[in-house]
């Protein structure tokens, strides 16, 4: 798992509440990514980071924000959760942009 | 439109048998192709990576092939084990200048039965 942890592993929340998911890595990888995985869709990139305080949008970034204040931590925030954001969220890291991505165990989020 | 299509969608085989999973892609410009294995409830784990010039690459009982002309890849699993039960995902990287994008397939769900 390249030393990647995600917290919480499971969360149930209500529509309209803020939610923050945390990804922590011990590999000192420069790149970090947030994906969501839903039935009928391949993994979809939400946001990624290419360094401390350097982030960019992925293909499904609406409704999500991220922050990276330290190399090892990458936070994903849903400012006001909606039912369409019910999903499994994966964090991944890579040494360089073209290198293999290593994935965390995932967070299952349910928005009621 | 960049797409990655995998077949079959699901597959059931008996332990000890071989199987082959397919990946067809329409991605341009092509950079590389990876196969990932995803166990239920866990994140994907990389099995192989293949670049344009590589035809075959093995990782233990897993052998991936790539035909860049026909834009097809396959993953062959030899002497399957119960632990091979998982989803196998094909991912193609497109790299146009500074615009790098990964296009993920939906995966093939493999069940290996005793």
């Amino acid at each position: 798992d390249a030393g990647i942890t995600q917290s919480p592993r499971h969360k149930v929340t209500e529509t309209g509440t803020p939610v923050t998911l945390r990804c922590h890595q011990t590999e000192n990888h420069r790149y970090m990514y947030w994906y969501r995985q839903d039935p009928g869709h391949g993994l979809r990139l939400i946001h990624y980071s290419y360094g401390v305080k350097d982030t960019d949008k992925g293909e499904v970034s609406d409704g999500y924000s991220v922050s990276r204040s330290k190399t090892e931590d990458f936070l994903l925030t849903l400012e006001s959760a909606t039912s369409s954001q019910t999903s499994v969220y994966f964090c991944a890291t890579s040494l360089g942009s073209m290198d293999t991505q290593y994935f965390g165990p995932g967070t299952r989020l349910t928005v009621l | 439109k960049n797409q990655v299509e995998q077949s079959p969608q699901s597959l059931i085989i008996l332990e000890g048998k071989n199987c082959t999973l397919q990946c067809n892609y329409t991605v341009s410009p092509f950079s590389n192709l990876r196969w990932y294995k995803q166990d239920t409830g866990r994140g994907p784990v990389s099995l192989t990576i293949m670049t344009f010039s590589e035809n075959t690459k093995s990782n233990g009982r897993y052998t991936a092939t790539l035909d860049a002309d026909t834009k097809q890849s396959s993953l062959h699993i030899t002497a399957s084990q119960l632990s091979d039960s998982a989803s196998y995902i094909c991912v193609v990287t497109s790299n146009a200048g500074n615009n790098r994008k990964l296009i993920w397939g939906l995966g093939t769900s493999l069940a290996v039965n005793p």
Side-chain angles (χ1 to χ4, degrees):
Chain A
D1 291 341
I4 304 169
T5 58
Q6 294 184 230
S7 59
R9 293 293 315 280
H10 301 272
K11 186 171 183 65
V12 179
T13 190
E14 293 187 349
T15 299
T17 60
V19 176
T20 295
L21 308 183
R22 179 176 182 252
C23 177
H24 179 79
Q25 59 135 337
T26 59
E27 297 299 311
N28 201 34
H29 284 176
R30 178 183 175 188
Y31 286 79
M32 298 186 76
Y33 312 83
W34 276 108
Y35 289 91
R36 60 178 291 173
Q37 188 173 40
D38 305 287
H41 294 273
L43 278 160
R44 292 183 289 177
L45 181 65
I46 304 171
H47 282 280
Y48 68 98
S49 169
Y50 48 96
V52 174
K53 297 185 179 178
D54 292 323
T55 65
D56 205 349
K57 296 179 180 180
E59 60 183 298
V60 290
S61 59
D62 288 348
Y64 302 94
S65 62
V66 291
S67 65
R68 191 171 179 197
S69 59
K70 298 185 291 185
T71 298
E72 55 267 34
D73 291 326
F74 192 33
L75 304 180
L76 176 70
T77 298
L78 292 65
E79 300 291 347
S80 177
T82 68
S83 58
S84 64
Q85 293 176 313
T86 292
S87 185
V88 179
Y89 291 86
F90 286 100
C91 173
T93 73
S94 66
L95 189 60
S97 66
M98 294 299 290
D99 293 320
T100 297
Q101 294 186 13
Y102 296 89
F103 285 80
T107 294
R108 182 173 295 277
L109 176 67
T110 302
V111 183
L112 302 175
Chain B
K1 179 181 178 183
N2 288 330
Q3 280 188 313
V4 173
E5 296 183 349
Q6 294 187 242
S7 62
Q9 184 175 358
S10 62
L11 182 64
I12 301 173
I13 62 173
L14 291 176
E15 185 178 12
K17 298 296 185 181
N18 304 335
C19 67
T20 300
L21 314 180
Q22 299 290 342
C23 173
N24 296 339
Y25 61 91
T26 54
V27 176
S28 181
F30 174 89
S31 180
N32 60 55
L33 183 147
R34 286 183 169 89
W35 283 93
Y36 276 85
K37 177 187 179 188
Q38 184 175 20
D39 292 319
T40 300
R42 305 194 65 172
V45 175
S46 179
L47 292 175
T48 64
I49 175 175
M50 302 184 74
T51 59
F52 187 88
S53 60
E54 295 175 303
N55 299 120
T56 303
K57 183 169 282 188
S58 293
N59 177 1
R61 294 180 296 102
Y62 301 102
T63 299
T65 66
L66 175 65
D67 186 332
D69 292 330
T70 62
K71 298 187 177 182
Q72 295 179 326
S73 176
S74 66
L75 180 69
H76 185 74
I77 304 175
T78 303
S80 61
Q81 300 176 359
L82 298 179
S83 59
D84 293 330
S85 295
S87 178
Y88 292 84
I89 306 173
C90 175
V91 188
V92 179
T93 301
S94 172
N95 195 21
N98 291 326
N99 186 16
R100 173 179 171 268
K101 188 172 183 180
L102 271 64
I103 299 93
W104 294 77
L106 298 184
T108 292
S109 178
L110 174 65
V112 180
N113 290 340

